[in-house]
Amino acid sequence: MKDYKKIDTRDVEYLVSVLGRDRVFTDEKINEDFSHDEMGGISRKPDVLVDVLTTEEVSKIMKYAYDNRIPVVARGSGTGLVGASVPVYGGIMINMSKMNRILEIDEDNLTLTLEPGVLLMEISDFVEEHDLFYPPDPGEKSATIAGNINTNAGGMRAVKYGVTRDYVRGLEVVLPNGEILQVGGKVVKNSSGYSIKDLICGSEGTLGIVTKAILKLLPLPKKAISLLIPFPSLDMAISTVPEIVKSKAAPTAIEFMQREVILAAEEYLGKKFPDNSSDAYLLLTFDGNSKEEIEKAYEKVADICLKEGASDVFIVDTDERKDSVWSARGAFLEAVKASTTDMDECDVVVPRNKIAEFIKYTDELQRKFHIRIRSFGHAGDGNLHVYVLKDELTEEAWKKKLADVFEAMYSKSRELSGLVSGEHGIGFAKKVYMLEQYSQEYVDLMKNIKLAFDSRNILNPGKIFQ
């Protein structure tokens, strides 16, 4: 345990004086949900949970915590997968989810200004009413925008449009000492000193608390069509991806999936996928402003896939087909989770031309360790989601096998010039693997950045490298 002050009655009364008694919770009044994130694995309740509504409230809480050396964790929807929002040292948890207003849509500058607790699905619905488009598309639509910013979330459309960091124009951030900082803005370009904004994106709540964001929007593409392409083997499917990328057809998304995961999704959703007879599939989306533009792109890609050994090309253009394909893809994580007693995830990213080699290696690990491993992911950018399943293993055997399998997989990703996390972050769960990846000089530099923001190490301690 680090040398933090333990919460006492005086601390709780201070928080009540700022927020009122109905927004301060202790002991059994703290819901168990606030002790863990979506993946579980690590669990700890905060000593006190507070709901905040304004930046000024966050500022007052942080100043008090800083002066008294009390650890603080900010939390949104709790949909993370690496324990980044778990208060491992107790202290104060700030629930940001009620700061959930959309403040402004600026159609001249193509920006959206909003509070941190707005959900991804709400952003999408709101901007589309204005014929605009927010491209980042992580699978978990009930995540908050600040959660996406703090993990630099990617998602399926990253292959064409990029990741969350590419769409953050400005931030309002409360620093660990309570100071309020404005970074970036509505400007399109900025070469004015270090980009603190880009440092906050992906910092997993360790450097500051986001209380407002200005997002970049794009005009909404008028049409979108998907292709579902079955292949006899995953190796054949993945080997086709570099050819697709080189063709300059610019698909919005290139996803890969295996038959086992599709079958799990069918069972979970209780409805059929358009085709489940092949071992592997690529799912591609194309968007644009005219049917002709999209057809030209997807016809080129369909020809490439058939030439590379695809057994068919299904055009996903009816509402019914779109629903069956994308609802299945959206349910993969929950479907895999429902098929086992517990699981953990390896969220590696490798060069595109190494995906097949990595997935083949996970098949070898299944046989070597006698454990089920399921995978799917973003073939267009090399980000793999590989799930190790507990099934009927005892807790002791599970922990041992999981550690051995993870060590083997992260070692393989390093060998293939990959990285520990493509989009879910490091949090608490993946620290050891990230520290194996980076040199001491790299880690020291991160520690010094943390020190510059948070000299008392009170904001989300115990995460990333701590």
Side-chain angles (χ1 to χ4, degrees):
M1 174 66 76
K2 294 180 187 287
D3 185 25
Y4 293 121
K5 179 183 186 298
K6 185 153 178 60
I7 293 279
D8 58 26
T9 307
R10 186 176 69 88
D11 303 321
V12 174
E13 287 308 311
Y14 173 77
L15 295 170
V16 168
S17 75
V18 173
L19 304 171
R21 204 160 291 279
D22 61 337
R23 288 196 277 135
V24 179
F25 308 91
T26 56
D27 303 320
E28 70 280 353
K29 290 182 180 175
I30 300 174
N31 190 299
E32 191 64 33
D33 287 348
F34 289 97
S35 69
H36 60 86
D37 66 7
E38 190 71 25
M39 188 61 78
I42 175 173
S43 179
R44 166 81 191 255
K45 271 190 178 184
D47 298 311
V48 57
L49 170 71
V50 298
D51 290 343
V52 293
L53 300 176
T54 68
T55 301
E56 289 66 32
E57 289 174 353
V58 177
S59 173
K60 286 177 183 175
I61 293 165
M62 288 311 306
K63 185 175 188 324
Y64 182 86
Y66 189 80
D67 290 344
N68 290 278
R69 199 170 164 77
I70 298 169
V72 179
V73 175
R75 174 183 159 117
S77 299
T79 59
L81 296 168
V82 291
S85 64
V86 177
V88 292
Y89 292 106
I92 301 168
M93 175 177 279
I94 303 180
N95 178 14
M96 308 294 293
S97 60
K98 292 184 180 175
M99 286 182 70
N100 58 2
R101 294 177 302 154
I102 293 175
L103 302 172
E104 179 200 49
I105 186 162
D106 183 338
E107 297 188 54
D108 291 331
N109 287 303
L110 291 182
T111 60
L112 183 73
T113 304
L114 70 177
E115 292 183 325
V118 178
L119 304 183
L120 188 63
M121 66 177 89
E122 294 169 340
I123 296 172
S124 175
D125 291 344
F126 181 81
V127 301
E128 284 184 17
E129 287 175 12
H130 296 263
D131 211 25
L132 295 170
F133 177 48
Y134 178 66
D137 186 38
E140 182 50 80
K141 304 298 186 284
S142 63
T144 62
I145 186 58
N148 280 186
I149 290 167
N150 273 292
T151 54
N152 187 32
M156 289 178 260
R157 293 196 284 245
V159 62
K160 179 174 180 179
Y161 288 108
V163 295
T164 300
R165 183 181 280 120
D166 300 313
Y167 294 87
V168 177
R169 282 274 170 81
L171 296 172
E172 178 182 79
V173 180
V174 176
L175 297 176
N177 64 3
E179 294 292 327
I180 301 169
L181 188 68
Q182 309 288 338
V183 295
K186 289 186 179 181
V187 295
V188 176
K189 295 166 73 178
N190 184 355
S191 291
S192 310
Y194 296 160
S195 182
I196 304 299
K197 166 182 72 72
D198 290 321
L199 199 52
I200 297 291
C201 296
S203 64
E204 301 187 55
T206 62
L207 302 182
I209 298 177
V210 173
T211 51
K212 191 186 295 180
I214 301 171
L215 304 178
K216 165 187 167 182
L217 303 176
L218 297 177
L220 181 67
K222 290 185 171 57
K223 295 185 180 296
I225 288 179
S226 297
L227 298 182
L228 179 66
I229 307 178
F231 284 85
S233 71
L234 183 65
D235 194 16
M236 203 176 277
I238 297 298
S239 299
T240 307
V241 173
E243 299 305 315
I244 294 171
V245 174
K246 282 191 286 187
S247 75
K248 300 181 183 175
T252 313
I254 311 174
E255 298 289 294
F256 80 87
M257 55 196 78
Q258 293 177 281
R259 187 167 183 267
E260 296 95 331
V261 178
I262 289 169
L263 294 175
E266 285 185 332
E267 186 174 342
Y268 179 74
L269 294 171
K271 58 183 178 183
K272 288 291 180 187
F273 200 67
D275 180 75
N276 66 13
S277 59
S278 292
D279 282 352
Y281 295 80
L282 290 181
L283 175 59
L284 298 98
T285 304
F286 299 84
D287 63 17
N289 290 320
S290 73
K291 189 178 178 186
E292 294 72 30
E293 175 191 342
I294 296 172
E295 283 179 351
K296 188 176 175 184
Y298 81 62
E299 283 170 4
K300 183 190 287 189
V301 168
D303 287 344
I304 289 169
C305 291
L306 290 168
K307 186 180 168 189
E308 295 293 321
S311 46
D312 207 340
V313 174
F314 299 104
I315 299 174
V316 183
D317 54 356
T318 66
D319 288 342
E320 185 182 359
R321 221 170 220 193
K322 281 178 187 172
D323 178 62
S324 69
V325 169
W326 287 106
S327 62
R329 173 60 185 88
F332 280 172
L333 173 58
E334 291 303 319
V336 172
K337 200 174 183 179
S339 76
T340 188
T341 53
D342 198 0
M343 69 181 195
D344 208 337
E345 184 208 25
C346 175
D347 160 48
V348 295
V349 60
V350 298
R352 273 190 293 250
N353 63 349
K354 301 294 184 184
I355 298 172
E357 187 175 344
F358 189 90
I359 297 298
K360 266 189 206 164
Y361 183 69
T362 66
D363 288 340
E364 290 172 25
L365 294 178
Q366 279 195 109
R367 293 189 290 273
K368 179 179 177 181
F369 289 99
H370 306 290
I371 195 166
R372 278 202 304 151
I373 298 175
R374 294 290 178 262
S375 60
F376 54 88
H378 313 313
D381 55 30
N383 186 192
L384 313 174
H385 302 308
V386 184
Y387 295 92
V388 185
L389 312 186
K390 181 184 179 188
D391 294 338
E392 303 311 314
L393 289 171
T394 65
E395 193 63 25
E396 185 181 353
W398 162 240
K399 285 182 176 173
K400 173 74 171 68
K401 282 198 180 190
L402 184 64
D404 290 344
V405 170
F406 269 4
E407 187 58 52
M409 286 199 289
Y410 286 117
S411 176
K412 186 68 172 178
S413 80
R414 290 195 300 273
E415 179 192 318
L416 299 177
S417 301
L419 294 167
V420 173
S421 174
E423 61 185 355
H424 293 162
I426 301 301
F428 181 85
K430 311 303 181 194
K431 287 192 300 183
V432 62
Y433 305 112
M434 192 204 74
L435 292 172
E436 287 174 354
Q437 175 116 45
Y438 289 136
S439 67
Q440 190 58 50
E441 290 78 11
Y442 195 108
V443 174
D444 287 345
L445 187 57
M446 286 198 289
K447 286 180 177 178
N448 284 329
I449 291 168
K450 169 69 171 169
L451 192 63
F453 277 84
D454 183 10
S455 61
R456 297 195 172 184
N457 195 30
I458 62 159
L459 190 54
N460 207 7
K463 310 297 167 56
I464 305 180
F465 54 80
Q466 305 169 68

